[in-house]
Amino acid sequence: SVTAQTAPQTSICVVTVDTSSSFNLVIWERADQISSAGIDSMYIYRKDDATNIYEFIDAVEYDDLSQYEDMDTVADPNLKSSSYRIAGKDINGQLGAMSDSARTIFLEYVYSGGTFTLSWNPYVGASFTDYIIQLSNNITRYYITEKLLGFLV
């Protein structure tokens, strides 16, 4: 009897920014990754803005924490958003297809004449019913300034 081996199928849970380090985090759920052979490692890809191609940036052992912290300055979340994909490599060396992409939000604001003007790109990887904009004049108290429907963003 021969058992067909299928390549690993992977998905990203979320991409976000680690507020303590200010680097992007790519996070996946181990339980969401599917493979007929055991998964050995997760390959991380970031989209190159100039070529529009996802390039391999690192691999994370499957048994390690299921996240990747992107400390490369080309992915600085204070300057731009970044798109990521992951792929699983099984214990036989077979690399699965890349996951759907997920992209961080990049929010910019301009303050002029007592008015804030906000612009941002929507998150890619999940849909939201709305976005809530909060403003603070100190780090302990935020208040909602605007609630926007997700499909309008």
Side-chain angles (χ1 to χ4, degrees):
S1 159
V2 176
T3 304
Q5 297 281 324
T6 59
Q9 298 172 0
T10 58
S11 62
I12 293 175
C13 179
V14 68
V15 291
T16 188
V17 176
D18 181 340
T19 56
S20 64
S21 70
S22 291
F23 293 120
N24 289 332
L25 283 177
V26 180
I27 302 169
W28 56 92
E29 290 287 340
R30 236 182 243 119
D32 291 344
Q33 315 314 317
I34 301 167
S35 180
S36 58
I39 296 179
D40 172 74
S41 54
M42 302 299 286
Y43 280 35
I44 316 300
Y45 300 85
R46 182 186 338 103
K47 188 177 192 179
D48 182 296
D49 293 332
T51 64
N52 233 15
I53 295 172
Y54 283 86
E55 297 181 349
F56 172 79
I57 55 174
D58 210 345
V60 176
E61 295 296 316
Y62 186 73
D63 292 332
D64 288 349
L65 188 61
S66 55
Q67 70 179 33
Y68 173 74
E69 186 173 22
D70 190 355
M71 296 183 281
D72 194 321
T73 57
V74 301
D76 185 344
N78 296 303
L79 302 176
K80 66 181 211 69
S81 67
S82 295
S83 295
Y84 296 90
R85 288 181 158 178
I86 61 172
K89 184 183 87 172
D90 69 21
I91 59 174
N92 299 319
Q94 185 176 13
L95 185 63
M98 280 190 259
S99 68
D100 289 338
S101 64
R103 182 180 70 190
T104 60
I105 294 174
F106 178 65
L107 172 67
E108 293 181 285
Y109 73 91
V110 174
Y111 181 75
S112 177
T115 302
F116 286 98
T117 302
L118 302 175
S119 66
W120 67 92
N121 62 285
Y123 181 83
V124 172
S127 58
F128 298 95
T129 56
D130 40 58
Y131 289 81
I132 297 173
I133 309 300
Q134 295 183 329
L135 182 64
S136 173
N137 55 6
N138 62 48
I139 61 171
T140 59
R141 184 175 171 158
Y142 286 86
Y143 58 94
I144 295 174
T145 60
E146 194 70 44
K147 184 175 180 180
L148 305 171
L149 296 176
F151 68 87
L152 294 176
V153 176

